[in-house]
Amino acid sequence: MDKLAIVGGARLAGEIPVSGAKNAALPILCAALLTEEPLEVENVPYLRDVDTLLALLARMGVAIEREGPTVRLQAKRIVSPEAPYELVKTMRASILVLGPLVARCHEAVVSLPGGCAIGARPVDQHIKGLQALGATVRVEHGYIHATTPGLRGARLVPDLVTVTGTENLLMAACLAEGTTVIENAAREPEVSDLARCLVAMGADIDGIGTDTLRVRGVPRLHGARFRVMPDRIETGTYLCAAAITGGQIRLGQADPGSLEAVLAKLAEAGCRIETGPDWVALQAPARLWAVDVRTAPYPGFPTDMQAQFMALDTVAEGSGVIRETIFENRFMHAVELQRLGADIRIDGNTAVVTGVTRLEGATVMATDLRASAGLVVAALKAEGETIIERIYHLDRGYERIEEKLGALGAQVRRIR
């Protein structure tokens, strides 16, 4: 199992491009199931989760061609509307095939999803929404079984804001008869990116970017070409990497407008931020100031950046309070940061981080995708070498991370 070795102390500097957003690419690739015609998706990152999803789609009968960051998919005939456990267990986003399969094939058998161990993320909102659209759904032996004579539009009001739930129901509603209104919809930029792709395929969607989506069903969708948005979480992670090392970097092919809450916190920590239409630059102070963070659905502070900011606070001046409101089990990285010398106290969903003057390299273990990114950020500041184990989590969400960090001057190597 691969490990990552990082020798801390280098001040990051330079310019690198941002990859396509994984959390936008995955639902957009699933949208290929909604049409017989080709869907060409540009700016798709090379990631383990993308490979897993493409293998799942191919198993269903989708013809797939990949040339660099461009993936061409054609689901002319879906031979098996089933997502088996062996392909679903490692990635929660595989649940996103459920809505398109029910809408187009009128049936689906999808394993309950896996993914990161960061708390309960039930799929009941997906199931309730599909039932409201006219599907019969039952869960047996770890599988969701859904059938319908044909979906019909309905008013959907999820009990909580759910990104994948909004995406699944949005895709299903595109081929439902009549009008569907999704209230309390997730407003994340990745949801809007999917909606724009669906519109390019012929869907009729109003309210994109708001918490109320109105979808007028159409008989069929057609092929399209669409470019995936830049990855805002990757952008934020590299900005944090530069900030903790006192560095100065510029990220190209970025979308700073999707990252306003993170940029505001970096500025509060003492960083100088500059932005353009497709780039963002950061210059860090000699020492960061501790900041308080409260995670919230978009446009609030993203939970996927919580671990990286906890890492920043470990060496900042003062103390920062971090409140996690999205997931109940997302402080597992705190124990690993303590192994590096961090001063962190946990009380339920709140962490109090008091900055120290130095961290020391040690062997630590990644527990989930974003926790591993937080450990990378801290390791860049720690004195000596840090070994991060179980970095398959990193490979699920960060494209060529050691190459990109190396281009900025970090001493990073993969141990196979």
Side-chain angles (χ1 to χ4, degrees), residues 38-41 62-67 70-74:
L39 175 64
E40 190 168 297
V41 186
V62 181
I64 299 171
E65 298 175 5
R66 176 156 198 168
E67 186 175 344
T70 299
V71 179
R72 186 178 186 273
L73 310 97
Q74 185 168 13

Side-chain angles (χ1 to χ4, degrees), residues 63-122:
I64 299 171
E65 298 175 5
R66 176 156 198 168
E67 186 175 344
T70 299
V71 179
R72 186 178 186 273
L73 310 97
Q74 185 168 13
K76 198 163 189 176
R77 178 172 171 264
I78 297 174
V79 298
S80 174
E82 180 178 349
Y85 174 71
E86 59 265 23
L87 285 175
V88 169
K89 63 182 178 181
T90 62
M91 183 182 66
R92 177 171 176 76
S94 53
I95 192 68
L96 289 168
V97 301
L98 179 61
L101 288 175
V102 175
R104 182 172 167 198
C105 303
H106 295 179
E107 63 175 329
V109 180
V110 178
S111 172
L112 291 171
C116 292
I118 55 175
R121 294 186 283 178

